[in-house]
Amino acid sequence: MKIQQNLLFFLEMETVRICVFLLLFLSQTWAETDELQMVDMKQDVGRDNSKCNITVNFWAELKELRDMVITSKSKIEKLEEEKSELLSRVTTNENKVALSDARLSASESETEELKRQITETPKVAFSVGLTDAREIGPFNTEITLKFSKVFTNFGQAYNTHTGVFTAPLRGVYYFRFTGFSLKFNHWFGVILYHNDKSVSWNGDYNDDVGNASISNGFALELEKGDVVYLVLPSSYVIYDSSSNRTAFSGFLIFPL
């Protein structure tokens, strides 16, 4: 009986010891588990913070990229405006160059036309003196004065044998003449004729002065073949010598 009691006591003690051991083991396990959970929680918090930081950085970089795109867009628009302005200037300059080229071409054409006209237009000009025989006249009738001293006669339009200028082409001509007298108490002068029409009567009375002169000039429109000449009126005198004080000149101003 005692042996049975001792055995039961031993068994109870073993059972208690085993239970205490199990309780200690479980407490240790629970503590380690709690530590692991705490570590995991801290890691989770770190990961969450890291995620938050990553998220914040991402949005900051995205905003920066957006700002860069807006700035680049503004720069591109400004460059496009400058490009348009430059293209406009280039177009304007090209138009100016084209206009200048057109004007230059027109000027060159006009120059060539003028050269052609100058080349093709007859050169007409004459200047002649009356005579070295001193006094001519008076006569009972009008006479055509034949200026025999030729200084110039381009185009040979003035005929020294007849005293007549003949227009080689239609145009405007300028004529000028002078007259001189030394004879006292006489009328002197000349009449300018265009074909058979008197254009101008130019004369004066030389009383006791001794030296007297006249001069005049006209621009006349002539047809081809028209004639111009100077006539000494009847009873008039005219004087000339090597001093060439009585002269007749004319030239073509421009053709028509």
Side-chain angles (χ1 to χ4, degrees), residues 51-237:
K51 288 180 180 179
C52 288
N53 291 333
I54 291 172
T55 302
V56 171
N57 291 336
F58 172 76
W59 285 110
E61 291 178 358
L62 185 61
K63 182 178 181 300
E64 184 178 355
L65 288 173
R66 185 196 64 182
D67 293 341
M68 290 175 63
V69 169
I70 293 173
T71 302
S72 299
K73 184 179 179 181
S74 299
K75 290 181 179 179
I76 290 172
E77 290 176 352
K78 186 176 181 181
L79 288 173
E80 288 292 337
E81 291 177 358
E82 292 178 354
K83 176 184 175 183
S84 299
E85 184 178 355
L86 288 174
L87 288 175
S88 177
R89 289 180 181 177
V90 169
T91 302
T92 301
N93 290 333
E94 288 178 348
N95 292 336
K96 288 181 179 179
V97 170
L99 181 61
S100 297
D101 290 341
R103 289 177 177 174
L104 178 61
S105 178
S107 297
E108 290 176 348
S109 298
E110 291 176 358
T111 301
E112 291 300 322
E113 177 63 19
L114 288 173
K115 288 181 179 179
R116 185 190 65 79
Q117 292 179 3
I118 291 172
T119 302
E120 295 180 0
T121 301
K123 297 176 177 60
V124 182
F126 74 94
S127 184
V128 291
L130 182 58
T131 182
D132 286 342
R134 297 182 180 273
E135 193 168 85
I136 298 177
F139 300 103
N140 294 328
T141 184
E142 294 182 348
I143 65 167
T144 299
L145 293 173
K146 300 176 183 179
F147 290 78
S148 59
K149 297 185 291 184
V150 178
F151 305 118
T152 55
N153 193 13
F154 289 101
Q156 305 301 313
Y158 182 80
N159 189 326
T160 56
H161 299 292
T162 62
V164 174
F165 171 86
T166 304
L169 73 161
R170 182 171 179 261
V172 176
Y173 296 79
Y174 181 76
F175 298 95
R176 178 174 174 78
F177 54 87
T178 59
F180 187 74
S181 174
L182 285 177
K183 191 175 182 66
F184 293 112
N185 300 319
H186 273 82
W187 286 94
F188 77 100
V190 294
I191 305 171
L192 177 67
Y193 272 87
H194 172 200
N195 294 333
D196 57 353
K197 179 183 177 181
S198 172
V199 177
S200 176
W201 185 300
N202 304 269
D204 196 3
Y205 186 77
N206 188 358
D207 42 22
D208 57 355
V209 176
N211 295 333
S213 63
I214 56 170
S215 65
N216 213 337
F218 294 89
L220 302 177
E221 179 181 345
L222 305 182
E223 298 293 331
K224 181 179 180 180
D226 282 1
V227 294
V228 176
Y229 51 94
L230 290 175
V231 169
L232 180 68
S234 63
S235 72
Y236 273 52
V237 296

